[in-house]
Amino acid sequence: MENYQTHLFLASPPQTWASLGDDRGASAHFHHHHGGDVVVDSNGREVKQAVVELGVGANNYCYHGDKYCLGDESGASIEAKSGTKKGGDHKGKKRHKFAFQTRSHVDVLDDGYRWRKYGQKIVKNSKFPRSYYKCTFNGCNVKKQIQRLCNDEGIVVTTYEGMHSHPTDKTSDNFDHILKHIQTSYSAF
DNA sequence: CGTTTTTGACCGGCGC
DNA sequence: GCGCCGGTCAAAAACG
C-alpha cells in the first residue's frame, strides 16, 4: 500500500494503472499493473484504462499562487481558493484540495464514497460541463468536482476538496485507499 | 416513499 | 455600481 504512494509521488511520467469504477454503485478492482492495461470492472461494464497522473506538476496542470489552473491560458480552469469561502463559517484554515487526471470514458469514478450531486455548470471554452458532488455521509463535508478536459475529451479531471473522517462502505481496495494516501500526504496544502 | 438528479435562481468576488 | 463568472441552493422531477 505504501507503494502506491511512493509511486505516485515519484512518477513524473504518468503511472499507468488498471481499473476504474463507473458511475454509482459499481466497484472496481484496482489491479496494480504497469503499462497500459486492461482492467476488470466488477460490474462487467466497459473496461477502462486508467492513466492517473498526480495533478500537481503534471502536464496541463499547474499551481499558481492560490489557484490551480487546468490547461494553460486557453483552457478551462479549475480554480480553488483556499478557505476564503462564504458561508459564515469561514475558519481561517486552508482547505486542502487536489486533483488528478484520469483517462477514462466515464466521468464519475467510484472511489467508494457516496456522493450527491448538487450542481452542474458549463465550463467556459469547453463543450463539457463540470459537475459538483458532495459526500453524503452525515457531517462529512468533502466535495469533489469532475470535469472533462476541453482539448482532450478522453481525460477526466477529478478535484477533491477536504478530507473524509469516516470509513468507506466498500471493502475491496479501491481508489479510495490511494486517494486517502494522497490526501494525507498533501495535507500541507 | 425516501433518496438523488436536474436545473434555474441566487450569491459573493472580482474586474472594469 | 454593474455585469460576468464560478460555486451553491433548493424546488421539483426522476428514480428505484
Side-chain angles (χ1 to χ4, degrees):
Chain A
M1 200 52 87
E2 303 305 323
N3 284 348
Y4 285 120
Q5 186 176 339
T6 314
H7 278 124
L8 271 173
F9 295 119
L10 293 182
S12 79
Q15 291 288 319
T16 308
W17 290 328
S19 191
L20 288 183
D22 64 80
D23 51 321
R24 88 211 78 164
S27 65
H29 291 106
F30 211 98
H31 292 156
H32 188 210
H33 262 225
H34 295 283
D37 321 284
V38 182
V39 192
V40 182
D41 170 308
S42 63
N43 272 14
R45 300 256 193 106
E46 318 174 49
V47 172
K48 308 305 172 226
Q49 166 199 316
V51 177
V52 178
E53 312 176 3
L54 189 60
V56 179
N59 274 349
N60 282 341
Y61 198 84
C62 46
Y63 178 73
H64 297 308
D66 64 340
K67 58 168 65 165
Y68 297 86
C69 291
L70 189 56
D72 24 34
E73 53 275 284
S74 59
S77 69
I78 285 185
E79 185 171 303
K81 296 303 261 307
S82 17
T84 37
K85 281 298 178 173
K86 63 121 191 202
D89 63 322
H90 146 267
K91 14 193 154 155
K93 301 196 73 168
K94 280 187 172 179
R95 283 280 221 167
H96 40 270
K97 201 164 192 176
F98 73 93
F100 61 89
Q101 303 181 359
T102 307
R103 182 168 292 281
S104 164
H105 290 106
V106 282
D107 286 12
V108 182
L109 306 111
D110 180 23
D111 48 18
Y113 292 99
R114 302 191 53 204
W115 302 93
R116 187 186 72 256
K117 185 174 185 172
Y118 67 87
Q120 167 166 320
K121 285 299 256 189
I122 304 225
V123 179
K124 202 183 161 188
N125 294 328
S126 171
K127 46 188 168 183
F128 304 106
R130 167 155 64 217
S131 302
Y132 300 88
Y133 297 84
K134 208 168 147 197
C135 182
T136 57
F137 188 89
N138 189 5
C140 182
N141 232 18
V142 178
K143 295 179 219 159
K144 74 173 175 182
Q145 36 182 269
I146 296 178
Q147 137 177 31
R148 212 165 263 285
L149 227 48
C150 48
N151 35 347
D152 185 352
E153 65 177 86
I155 293 190
V156 172
V157 181
T158 306
T159 304
Y160 286 84
E161 174 175 350
M163 203 162 5
H164 298 280
S165 52
H166 58 90
T168 314
D169 53 346
K170 298 297 175 58
T171 56
S172 63
D173 66 11
N174 220 343
F175 257 160
D176 171 48
H177 292 135
I178 290 93
L179 292 177
K180 208 158 212 153
H181 283 192
I182 299 175
Q183 286 181 98
T184 50
S185 306
Y186 265 77
S187 56
F189 273 159

